[in-house]
Amino acid sequence: MPVGPTTRRRQLGADLRRLREAKGLTLEEAGARVGISKATLSRYETKEGTVKWPAIDALCREYGASDAERIALVELAKGAKIQGWWRSLADPIPESMNLMLTLEDEVVREDHYACMYVPGLLQTRAYAEAVHRASEVQCPEREVQHMVDIRMKRQELLDRDDPPRIWCVIDEAALRREVGGREVMREQLGHLLALTERPHVTVQVLPFSKGAHAAAVGSFAILRGPTPELDVAYVDLLSGGLFMEKPQELARYRLAFEYLSAQALDLESSTEIVHRISKES
């Protein structure tokens, strides 16, 4: 299975390019100064493949980086191959899930728009099981449990000492869709309300009364890295999902999320509607 770039590797590539351009050097000129080819330096900057930390140290010195920045980038280079907890799992996972976990492991903020189901990070186990059984009707129960285990493990990022900011705009349809039966839905809605009490979790509801909106095409998420150039948009597809990181693509999804958040109910009103739907379940 091919391995997607770690967030460390993506950060390193972006910083190397920024430093080189600030120095006014071409790829060929910069590479020649430290004894590496233009192709190798281009690969270093495009966030793909392995890197050699002595070359990173030499590049930083040529670019005039501060000692603190040079040391930080060398540490990034040394840690670029580090893979997350999911690499030790006995059962394989879909490639799109591997990349999601890689990016999410070091994300600083996630923006979710959900029109079909409650976002995975906010799901109860029973709800997640029902979602997977419905989505993969021919999937063996062992595989269902494996995928749900991964989803539950993902949620541990909410309990970190310095957790990422999670901002979710959830369509009213996702809250009213009875997934797994009434008891499962009642538990799920209660769990959602409990999560909204955490300072780093924001949930807004986009009610039916708002009519047409900016994301009629479907659910998506924006995984935000330490700097904007590390952001990635993820769009749900029947085949698994699509990751996008081109500036124009990201701009479109960032704007869509801003519009959705503006159209959605405020936090107090959102909590009230979730309470109301829960009582109706």
Side-chain angles (χ1 to χ4, degrees):
M1 178 188 297
V3 178
T6 64
T7 302
R8 296 178 186 87
R9 181 66 183 83
R10 298 171 70 241
Q11 178 75 66
L12 177 63
D15 284 346
L16 285 176
R17 180 175 182 177
R18 173 180 54 79
L19 287 171
R20 177 180 59 79
E21 290 179 343
K23 191 69 173 178
L25 296 172
T26 66
L27 286 167
E28 190 170 9
E29 291 168 341
R33 292 191 180 191
V34 298
I36 62 176
S37 68
K38 173 183 176 181
T40 297
L41 183 51
S42 176
R43 178 172 57 78
Y44 280 14
E45 292 186 7
T46 52
K47 314 162 192 173
E48 297 177 356
T50 58
V51 294
K52 295 181 179 179
W53 72 260
I56 302 304
D57 183 84
L59 285 166
C60 286
R61 293 178 189 277
E62 285 294 334
Y63 296 157
S66 67
D67 286 343
E69 189 165 30
R70 176 177 56 80
I71 291 170
L73 291 187
V74 167
E75 288 304 309
L76 277 178
K78 290 179 177 179
K81 290 184 179 180
I82 296 174
Q83 299 297 332
W85 53 265
W86 56 95
R87 282 292 165 191
S88 63
L89 296 175
D91 293 331
I93 60 175
E95 180 56 26
S96 61
M97 178 59 69
N98 168 61
L99 185 51
M100 169 65 84
L101 295 172
T102 299
L103 296 171
E104 193 171 63
D105 198 41
E106 294 177 356
V107 77
V108 298
R109 172 174 163 173
E110 292 190 26
D111 295 337
H112 290 260
Y113 167 64
C115 64
M116 180 66 71
Y117 302 119
V118 171
L121 287 175
L122 310 184
Q123 292 178 5
T124 64
R125 185 175 188 95
Y127 184 95
E129 288 175 350
V131 168
H132 277 288
R133 291 191 185 107
S135 301
E136 304 289 343
V137 291
Q138 296 182 330
C139 186
E141 183 62 21
R142 180 175 181 274
E143 188 172 334
V144 169
Q145 295 302 321
H146 173 57
M147 295 306 294
V148 173
D149 285 344
I150 293 173
R151 180 157 296 182
M152 296 299 103
K153 184 71 175 178
R154 278 178 61 205
Q155 294 179 4
E156 291 183 7
L157 66 83
L158 298 175
D159 297 317
R160 292 176 180 172
D161 291 337
D162 185 21
R165 175 75 181 275
I166 308 297
W167 194 309
C168 300
V169 175
I170 306 177
D171 197 285
E172 185 177 346
L175 301 176
R176 292 192 177 278
R177 180 170 288 105
E178 194 171 286
V179 175
R182 289 191 174 185
E183 287 302 317
V184 170
M185 281 306 299
R186 189 174 294 114
E187 179 191 30
Q188 175 60 68
L189 294 174
H191 181 63
L192 188 62
L193 288 169
L195 288 173
T196 62
E197 296 179 4
R198 300 191 183 194
H200 58 283
V201 177
T202 298
V203 173
Q204 290 182 275
V205 176
L206 185 63
F208 290 144
S209 59
K210 291 295 182 178
H213 54 75
V217 293
S219 301
F220 68 87
I222 304 172
L223 308 176
R224 298 184 183 265
T227 56
E229 62 265 29
L230 296 180
D231 291 357
V232 176
Y234 174 81
V235 181
D236 273 337
L237 298 174
L238 187 61
S239 59
L242 179 66
F243 293 88
M244 294 176 287
E245 57 180 337
K246 293 180 179 179
Q248 62 270 29
E249 294 171 337
L250 285 167
R252 179 180 180 184
Y253 280 96
R254 289 188 188 110
L255 186 59
F257 190 80
E258 288 178 12
Y259 281 145
L260 288 164
S261 181
Q263 288 179 285
L265 299 174
D266 60 34
L267 303 187
E268 183 177 353
S269 299
S270 294
T271 299
E272 289 175 357
I273 194 171
V274 175
H275 268 297
R276 186 165 67 250
I277 295 172
S278 178
K279 292 179 180 179
E280 297 170 4
S281 300

